[in-house]
Amino acid sequence: MPPKRKSDASSGDGSGAKKKKLARTPSKRESIPDVSGNDYSSEAATKDGKKWNLKFSSWNVNGIRAWVEKNGHSYVTAEDPDIFCVQETKCAKDLIPDDANIEGYHAYWLSGDKDGYSGTGLYSKQEPLSVTYGIDKEEHDKEGRVITAEFDKFYFVTAYVPNAGRGLPRLSYRSEKWDPDFREYLKNLDAKKPVVMCGDLNVAHKEIDIANPKSNKKSAGFTPQERQGFSELLEAGFVDAFRELYPEETKKYSYWTYMGNARGKNVGWRLDYFVVSEKIKDGICDSLIRSEVMGSDHCPVVLLMNI
Amino acid sequence: MPPKRKSDASSGDGSGAKKKKLARTPSKRESIPDVSGNDYSSEAATKDGKKWNLKFSSWNVNGIRAWVEKNGHSYVTAEDPDIFCVQETKCAKDLIPDDANIEGYHAYWLSGDKDGYSGTGLYSKQEPLSVTYGIDKEEHDKEGRVITAEFDKFYFVTAYVPNAGRGLPRLSYRSEKWDPDFREYLKNLDAKKPVVMCGDLNVAHKEIDIANPKSNKKSAGFTPQERQGFSELLEAGFVDAFRELYPEETKKYSYWTYMGNARGKNVGWRLDYFVVSEKIKDGICDSLIRSEVMGSDHCPVVLLMNI
DNA sequence: CATCTGATG
DNA sequence: CATCAGATG
């Protein structure tokens, strides 16, 4: 499915709706992402030499309104992915800023019941065959966490996985309920067509995926339970695209707390992933972590595939 | 009492205490008050030719932490008053930023029970004989609104008068309880020594004191009840220093809502006053409204006296 | 249209 | 150390 590069930028679900409330005036803070000098081209190919024909990107934007004010969306134009996903939009659909509707993409938005919390978005150049929201479980689907887009040859899923919270108040929900149910959801999709799933999975899988493994064994995102949950997802027939290609690569992170200049010191976590069905893993061409791109406490991640 | 210009900057009530919490990093916003070119000297004198020997200034700072980040305190150094008062500090005593302790002044802080709400401060070059907090009425004294400093020849009072609120939820409290009790408090002081009172009195007294009298008759700060309360205060033996000197002066305001560029259009209210005992009104030399000084939605006001 | 807090991450 | 909401002005 090499997507038709059509220029219809209309939004699939009413993202052009009137705003209830105006966005705040941009702060005088400088626009943070300056991606103008970056080279996002790539000649990456599969092991058997097929060049990529689809580019995907995912970014936890930590508030899409703030991200737009910081000119974060300029990254999307520069990266030019076929599909771009955002997590933690923290914004009701009707309040998504106009500038978040990027020319050339169909945009799909999901938010939860609680204002300013969670929320995801999916942009696609090609219009999906269908778009669905949630994972078909009432219990999980009030927080705007999962969007699924069906294409001819695959399902594309973006997820913002529940954070276990400080003091781990939601660890049991996360690891005993969400993780198994989300895994089942993906397995069911995978039984029909291959799956590409991306997003902030709120777990650093192995010690190699976090700067300070020792001191974080009881921190949300690095507990044994959460790490085990990710292992079980992979065992269910999926691969972590970045780690598949770069099994030994250290110090590659996609999140740094804003506190204590963690990003400057690269004291980070790899929380943002592309996870793909094992049956299409040979289509992986490259998996990239755009750690230089500013605008959030996470950076974008990229997957190049030949499908 | 021409104050001894001593340089002891110690704070009268522990304002040097350790902070529980650090102030946020200053935003990148430019420092707003640039008072460096302003001439705050004055040759003002009483009607019978006595030059002022005391300068007082008062400013509703709308959050002392934000005000300090905006370099609002540079105004104090430039104005160089003998006593400077602030209202709406919105800050517990222990969290007052270090930069709010201005060299050459004793500082006294009061905050209420509710964090981030109300709060007043008083700076004095000369150390007062005593400083008291509140108006001796349990009912009123939980919101950090009044500081009284006793000097040799007068009492100095600063007040942040309760706002009646949008939809006037606290109008009855304000006009039936606070206003009479505060008036009694001042009358009792005045029975002992003359009083200079300043602050955000949260009322525009007459039509001349507000840009849009017609449309604000039901707005907090311009209801008949609040205006009447101020009239009754004056009838109890006090004068509005600014209006005493400038009975016909129009378009002089000390507050403009941040909304709709009201300040740019001078759509304002005169809410900040110096009110002095009638018996010392002949000591008034000048009363000034520093409407050019930025850093809050209010501007500073000044009183020059010979006492 | 600002200031705060408190929840959240 | 950020985001956002909601209270307050």
Side-chain angles (χ1 to χ4, degrees):
Chain A
M1 187 205 76
K4 295 172 282 181
R5 310 250 156 183
K6 63 174 178 165
S7 63
D8 171 5
S10 69
S11 153
D13 69 344
S15 57
K18 281 262 180 60
K19 292 185 182 46
K20 284 182 211 158
K21 204 168 145 186
L22 288 170
R24 290 182 56 173
T25 299
S27 58
K28 302 251 166 64
R29 191 196 315 107
E30 66 273 53
S31 297
I32 288 181
D34 180 2
V35 292
S36 51
N38 294 8
D39 179 9
Y40 292 138
S41 65
S42 169
E43 295 300 315
T46 62
K47 275 179 270 182
D48 50 345
K50 292 185 210 141
K51 201 205 155 190
W52 66 271
N53 62 357
L54 287 173
K55 181 192 272 193
F56 308 125
S57 178
S58 177
W59 195 357
N60 176 319
V61 295
N62 189 28
I64 197 164
R65 284 168 288 187
W67 176 77
V68 163
E69 286 177 11
K70 288 177 287 196
N71 203 29
H73 52 303
S74 67
Y75 160 74
V76 187
T77 310
E79 182 72 78
D80 194 35
D82 295 284
I83 300 176
F84 177 62
C85 295
V86 290
Q87 301 85 38
E88 274 203 274
T89 52
K90 297 183 173 184
C91 189
K93 195 158 62 178
D94 289 354
L95 303 178
I96 297 285
D98 285 336
D99 285 349
N101 286 300
I102 299 166
E103 193 178 337
Y105 291 91
H106 303 264
Y108 304 88
W109 301 106
L110 178 61
S111 59
D113 291 352
K114 205 190 319 180
D115 284 350
Y117 176 72
S118 189
T120 44
L122 186 150
Y123 298 80
S124 178
K125 287 189 176 179
Q126 181 172 336
E127 190 168 3
L129 302 178
S130 67
V131 174
T132 57
Y133 300 93
I135 60 174
D136 277 324
K137 280 236 170 185
E138 183 75 20
E139 178 183 7
H140 302 303
D141 291 347
K142 295 178 174 175
E143 291 182 345
R145 296 187 176 278
V146 178
I147 303 176
T148 301
E150 181 179 1
F151 295 95
D152 196 23
K153 299 194 184 164
F154 59 94
Y155 285 104
F156 194 95
V157 178
T158 189
Y160 173 52
V161 168
N163 192 302
R166 294 200 181 172
L168 306 175
R170 286 190 100 188
L171 178 58
S172 64
Y173 165 70
R174 157 68 182 275
S175 54
E176 294 165 25
K177 297 184 170 168
W178 170 276
D179 278 351
D181 288 346
F182 185 47
R183 185 171 67 241
E184 283 311 300
Y185 176 73
L186 294 175
K187 278 172 70 175
N188 288 338
L189 290 182
D190 187 46
K192 296 188 272 186
K193 287 182 192 179
V195 173
V196 176
M197 185 270 281
C198 70
D200 177 356
L201 306 190
N202 258 320
V203 63
H205 187 201
K206 300 279 174 79
E207 300 218 342
I208 195 175
D209 298 309
I210 185 170
N212 291 321
K214 308 294 174 243
S215 57
N216 280 306
K217 301 217 190 267
K218 292 174 181 173
S219 301
F222 200 62
T223 63
Q225 294 93 320
E226 293 163 291
R227 297 171 61 189
Q228 175 65 19
F230 193 71
S231 293
E232 288 174 23
L233 174 61
L234 300 188
E235 286 157 17
F238 298 93
V239 302
D240 167 354
F242 178 82
R243 197 53 77 198
E244 182 75 11
L245 293 185
Y246 304 107
E248 313 288 344
E249 189 91 1
T250 60
K251 296 179 186 166
K252 291 292 194 177
Y253 311 121
S254 66
Y255 162 80
W256 307 261
T257 172
Y258 278 123
M259 288 172 263
N261 189 30
R263 192 162 183 170
K265 296 180 283 190
N266 197 27
V267 177
W269 305 50
R270 194 165 70 93
L271 301 180
D272 300 272
Y273 295 83
F274 280 94
V275 167
V276 307
S277 295
E278 218 151 33
K279 64 185 85 148
I280 54 167
K281 78 172 182 188
D282 289 342
I284 299 172
C285 298
D286 206 353
S287 182
L288 305 159
I289 301 178
R290 300 288 192 210
S291 51
E292 73 285 2
V293 177
M294 307 302 283
S296 166
D297 48 358
H298 294 244
C299 74
V301 294
V302 173
L303 178 67
L304 298 171
M305 289 204 70
N306 182 290
I307 304 189
Chain B
M1 189 203 80
K4 295 172 285 181
R5 310 253 157 181
K6 61 174 182 167
S7 61
D8 170 6
S10 69
S11 156
D13 69 345
S15 55
K18 282 264 180 59
K19 292 186 182 44
K20 285 183 212 159
K21 205 169 146 188
L22 288 170
R24 290 182 56 171
T25 299
S27 58
K28 302 250 167 64
R29 191 197 311 109
E30 67 272 53
S31 297
I32 289 180
D34 179 2
V35 292
S36 51
N38 294 8
D39 179 8
Y40 291 138
S41 66
S42 168
E43 295 301 315
T46 62
K47 275 179 270 182
D48 50 345
K50 291 184 213 144
K51 201 205 154 191
W52 65 273
N53 61 359
L54 287 173
K55 181 193 272 194
F56 308 124
S57 178
S58 177
W59 195 357
N60 176 319
V61 294
N62 189 29
I64 198 163
R65 284 168 288 189
W67 177 76
V68 162
E69 286 177 10
K70 288 177 286 195
N71 203 28
H73 53 302
S74 67
Y75 160 74
V76 187
T77 310
E79 183 73 80
D80 194 35
D82 296 285
I83 299 175
F84 177 62
C85 295
V86 290
Q87 302 84 36
E88 274 203 277
T89 52
K90 296 183 173 186
C91 189
K93 196 160 60 176
D94 290 355
L95 303 178
I96 298 284
D98 285 335
D99 285 350
N101 286 300
I102 299 166
E103 193 178 336
Y105 291 91
H106 305 263
Y108 305 88
W109 302 105
L110 180 61
S111 58
D113 291 352
K114 203 189 323 179
D115 285 351
Y117 176 73
S118 188
T120 44
L122 185 152
Y123 299 80
S124 177
K125 288 189 178 180
Q126 180 171 337
E127 189 169 3
L129 301 178
S130 67
V131 175
T132 57
Y133 301 93
I135 61 174
D136 277 325
K137 281 236 171 184
E138 183 75 22
E139 177 182 7
H140 302 303
D141 291 347
K142 295 178 174 174
E143 295 185 347
R145 296 187 176 278
V146 178
I147 303 176
T148 301
E150 181 180 1
F151 295 94
D152 195 24
K153 298 192 183 165
F154 59 94
Y155 286 103
F156 194 96
V157 178
T158 190
Y160 173 54
V161 169
N163 193 300
R166 293 199 180 170
L168 307 174
R170 286 190 100 189
L171 178 58
S172 65
Y173 165 70
R174 156 68 181 274
S175 55
E176 293 165 24
K177 296 185 171 168
W178 170 276
D179 277 351
D181 288 345
F182 185 47
R183 185 171 68 243
E184 282 311 301
Y185 176 75
L186 295 174
K187 278 174 67 175
N188 289 337
L189 288 182
D190 186 47
K192 297 187 274 185
K193 290 181 192 180
V195 172
V196 177
M197 185 271 282
C198 69
D200 176 357
L201 305 189
N202 258 319
V203 64
H205 188 200
K206 299 279 175 79
E207 300 218 341
I208 196 176
D209 297 310
I210 185 170
N212 290 322
K214 309 291 173 248
S215 55
N216 280 306
K217 300 217 190 268
K218 291 174 180 173
S219 302
F222 200 61
T223 63
Q225 294 94 318
E226 292 162 292
R227 297 171 61 188
Q228 175 65 20
F230 192 72
S231 293
E232 288 174 22
L233 173 60
L234 301 187
E235 287 158 15
F238 298 93
V239 302
D240 167 354
F242 178 82
R243 197 53 75 198
E244 182 75 10
L245 292 185
Y246 305 107
E248 314 287 344
E249 189 91 2
T250 59
K251 297 180 185 164
K252 291 290 194 178
Y253 310 121
S254 65
Y255 162 81
W256 307 261
T257 173
Y258 278 123
M259 288 170 262
N261 189 29
R263 193 163 182 169
K265 297 180 283 190
N266 197 26
V267 178
W269 305 49
R270 195 166 69 95
L271 301 180
D272 301 272
Y273 296 82
F274 280 94
V275 167
V276 307
S277 295
E278 218 151 34
K279 64 185 89 150
I280 54 167
K281 77 172 182 192
D282 290 342
I284 299 171
C285 299
D286 207 353
S287 183
L288 305 159
I289 300 178
R290 300 289 192 209
S291 51
E292 74 284 3
V293 177
M294 307 302 282
S296 166
D297 49 358
H298 294 246
C299 74
V301 293
V302 174
L303 178 66
L304 298 171
M305 289 205 70
N306 182 292
I307 304 189

